[in-house]
Amino acid sequence: MKNLLKVLISILFLLCLIQKSRAYSSGLIITEVLPNPSGRDSEGEFLEVYNNSDEDIDILEFQIDGKQIKPYQGETTQTIKPDSFIIIHDDSFDIKERFPGNYNRAVVTSTSLANGGDTVILSDHKQKVYDQFIYSNSQENITIVRPEIKCSTTADSFDGGGSFLELEDPENYNSSIFKFQHCAIIQIFKDNKWDNLLETENASSIKIRLDYPDNIFSINQFQWIIDAQEHFYSNPIDFTSIPNSTHNLDLYLIYNENQIYSQEQIKVRNLDTITLEPTIRINEIFPNPSTSGEWLELYNFGDQKVDISGWKIEDSSSASPKPLPATEIDPDDYYVLEGTELKVSLNNSGDEITILNPNDEIVDNYSYNKTNKDISLSYWNTKFFESTTATKATANIITEPSSDNEDNEEEEKENNKSDTILGDIKNIKSEPVNTYVETTGIITVDPNILGSKTFYIQDQSGGIKIKAHEEVINSDIKEGTEVKLRGILKKSVEEFYIDVESLGDLSILQNSQDYYIKNLEENFVFEENEGQLVRLQGVLDSSSGDSFKIILGDGREMKVSILSNVDIDLPEKEKGDLIRITGILSQYKTSATVGEGHRLLPRKNEDIEIIKSEQNMKNLKEEVEMDSHKETVQNSNALGTCSSHSVPNYGDQADYKIARRYYELMPKIETQTEDNSKEESTDNSDILKYSGMLMLSFVGFLKTPGSKDLAVGFATYLKKFFQKST
């Protein structure tokens, strides 16, 4: 009877539990803009900003599109109180002549709100973005409003006079303009507050919630699945954890009566220690001054003092990194390298600057093309802009160069492009850096997977990294597409790449093309295969987080790294497993002693295949022990494994010989794996069948005839299946 009662309670929770959360998150939010006033735009444009936090906020610490907010002439702007507004307008007019009243206002030099659509960015002087307001068009004297300030969406426009300094009521708008995925966010509770970064430290339990505006969406059913085992039907949820673990969460819910939403493979990390990344960046570069000397500015955007003693700097022509001054940079402070402290030359024709820590790990780097006189390269909102205003040791100000400079620059680019070198990928890699090159290849990895605005192409001669400017990346640029592209040949961390600057420099030849994966044989040369999609196999030696090392058949080690944007769920693995990896061969800055500077970058789940065979491992170890007194390292060399002078770097010889024997047993292991997969196919198909039927029942609110019996049967089957697997 008690068990039956538990089942009934669970069903009631599943069918009836409705959870709600607060409607808004904290911070400054742009709630209304007027891009197209009657008359001159510069004498009527304005933005309405709302303080949605519980604290007073000083608006003078913020910027609009990189332009500092300042008081209107003769006024002292007060702080914005919680649940209050401020109007930001162009400093060339007095908005209170149009909208009289006693309210806060501030100004910027030129609001420049484009009538045809724009993205307005509100940030602080550290370039931390607080809000982005995106609109696609505008009508004369009609404001654009955000009726639900949590959702990243724009709404219908209407006359601004009626909504000035007021929050809009979402009930006045068609709810179809709000998409659930734009309005909801998963958060973790830590340090007595909810946080969007799903990481915590040394936690014995983790609290998670879905935050959403409950005045727009009504959620009828929640289902959380933790690590494919624990099920929760509420919001928020608490589950147990241990430090140094990563949890995978799946969320399924039904909202607004019959709308289904799901989000799978949500990663939540519980760290045993948090390694603080250096909070130093290259903030401004002034490479081509008409007077005085060139300089480079570092900025500490963190809240802790950073000691840069032992750090180094290098450019693309440096024979070796040069030391930086032994000094400390305070939080929110700048350090300018100039004169004798600037150990590199900032080349006017283009350069790449890299800052390294004492372990020769890259802290920051930036590459630029040819620069004009007195143009500053200034960091703002995750990227660099050209600016005519140099701001040495102060917050950056972005003022775009005149059209004359842009015309000269474009003319120079066109002259350089006329000398473009054509060739296959292997041949263009032999050209000097900063040469315009043109080649054809098939894309082997989607953009932004292995780096921001980065993808890879290859042909029969080799592969190469492509770094494309934002306008080049679109939905047609994807894996399997054959493209012809032109750009500047560059080099970073000793690896070549092509910098593609504009949309006209890339053309699509064919879609959905097959490409080959190069199987690397023993003793392959790293440099000859950089940038190429390759496949190799070896024995797992060690792992750390999302990276691990394998021993190759020739005894060398290979690092395998799962980058942060790669959606791969690593299967269970242990030392001694044979692993077959497909990925891009790339270089990175490291102090590794074997295979220095090279790593393999998988792209997706199917790029990693782990073949477990405890019996084979046992047999291999026995073979190694029996042969150890008969077989010397030199005999192994006679079989073509590796050169004797490099053997001492390979570590344990037993592991090395096991790797060799694994290569020989590979066909047998593959056959055994195929047989095992056949035995499991029936189980897998049954699971798929039950899952599909159960989902249909779930969507129908468990009203399908026999659905309760189906649910109980499926649960029983899963129990037997997992017992069998164990």
Side-chain angles (χ1 to χ4, degrees), residues 442-446 448-450 455-456 458 478-480 515-517 531-535 560-563 565-569 581-585 600-608:
I442 298 176
I443 298 175
T444 54
V445 59
D446 288 342
N448 301 317
I449 299 297
L450 300 183
F455 58 94
Y456 286 78
Q458 70 181 38
K478 57 187 176 182
E479 180 185 342
Y515 53 84
Y516 77 102
I517 301 173
Q532 193 158 0
L533 185 63
V534 301
R535 177 178 291 138
V560 180
S561 297
I562 313 298
L563 300 188
N565 285 341
V566 179
D567 187 15
I568 290 181
D569 299 318
I581 307 291
T582 301
I584 300 293
L585 188 62
L600 202 60
L601 304 176
R603 310 157 299 160
K604 44 194 172 184
N605 279 326
E606 50 265 40
D607 285 347
I608 300 179

Side-chain angles (χ1 to χ4, degrees), residues 33-91:
V33 299
L34 179 62
N36 191 3
S38 57
R40 295 181 60 184
D41 286 357
S42 61
E43 296 181 357
E45 294 179 345
F46 73 83
L47 303 92
E48 178 187 82
V49 177
Y50 174 66
N51 180 3
N52 188 42
S53 74
D54 298 326
E55 300 176 351
D56 293 353
I57 297 179
D58 184 0
I59 194 63
L60 301 184
E61 295 181 356
F62 293 85
Q63 302 173 340
I64 296 291
D65 290 340
K67 300 164 188 174
Q68 186 65 42
I69 298 174
K70 54 188 179 182
Y72 184 72
Q73 54 188 2
E75 294 184 359
T76 301
T77 301
Q78 304 296 319
T79 56
I80 314 176
K81 299 292 183 181
D83 196 28
S84 299
F85 297 89
I86 190 169
I87 299 296
I88 311 294
H89 63 91
D90 198 298
D91 63 359

Side-chain angles (χ1 to χ4, degrees), residues 573-591:
K573 59 188 185 303
E574 56 187 19
K575 184 173 182 179
D577 288 342
L578 179 63
I579 303 183
R580 178 189 289 156
I581 307 291
T582 301
I584 300 293
L585 188 62
S586 175
Q587 284 212 44
Y588 71 112
K589 209 75 175 180
T590 180
S591 58

Side-chain angles (χ1 to χ4, degrees), residues 517-526 529 532-539 548-554 556-560 578-586 598-602 607-611 663 666:
I517 301 173
K518 184 175 181 180
N519 290 299
L520 294 183
E521 304 294 337
E522 296 178 19
N523 299 310
F524 65 88
V525 179
F526 284 110
N529 297 281
Q532 193 158 0
L533 185 63
V534 301
R535 177 178 291 138
L536 50 77
Q537 58 198 35
V539 176
F548 55 91
K549 290 182 180 179
I550 59 175
I551 303 174
L552 304 178
D554 56 20
R556 292 182 291 178
E557 289 182 353
M558 170 61 72
K559 181 175 182 179
V560 180
L578 179 63
I579 303 183
R580 178 189 289 156
I581 307 291
T582 301
I584 300 293
L585 188 62
S586 175
H598 287 89
R599 60 181 174 178
L600 202 60
L601 304 176
D607 285 347
I608 300 179
E609 182 182 358
I610 297 181
I611 303 172
Y663 270 75
M666 187 64 196

Side-chain angles (χ1 to χ4, degrees), residues 274-291:
I274 295 180
T275 302
L276 296 178
E277 296 293 333
T279 56
I280 300 295
R281 69 165 175 250
I282 300 171
N283 200 59
E284 189 172 0
I285 303 174
F286 199 58
N288 193 356
S290 57
T291 59

Side-chain angles (χ1 to χ4, degrees), residues 271 301 311-312 343 365 399 487 544 549:
L271 308 177
F301 56 87
W311 288 28
K312 305 164 192 172
K343 305 292 185 179
N365 79 318
T399 51
S544 175
K549 290 182 180 179

Side-chain angles (χ1 to χ4, degrees), residues 300-352:
N300 181 2
F301 56 87
D303 54 10
Q304 301 290 328
K305 185 180 296 186
V306 176
D307 187 352
I308 63 171
S309 301
W311 288 28
K312 305 164 192 172
I313 185 172
E314 65 179 2
D315 69 349
S316 56
S317 60
S318 298
S320 60
K322 309 298 182 184
L324 289 178
T327 188
E328 293 180 335
I329 305 179
D330 289 328
D332 191 26
D333 202 3
Y334 305 86
Y335 192 88
V336 177
L337 300 171
E338 58 184 334
T340 58
E341 287 190 338
L342 183 61
K343 305 292 185 179
V344 298
S345 296
L346 305 176
N347 297 316
N348 298 340
S349 59
D351 210 339
E352 179 172 16

Side-chain angles (χ1 to χ4, degrees), residues 196-227:
N196 297 343
L197 180 62
L198 300 181
E199 287 186 354
T200 187
E201 182 182 12
N202 296 325
S204 59
S205 65
I206 295 177
K207 188 174 185 178
I208 295 289
R209 78 169 180 183
L210 178 72
D211 188 27
Y212 66 98
D214 57 8
N215 58 336
I216 296 179
F217 302 100
S218 175
I219 297 182
N220 305 311
Q221 294 181 2
F222 275 102
Q223 184 182 34
W224 300 85
I225 303 177
I226 314 299
D227 298 328

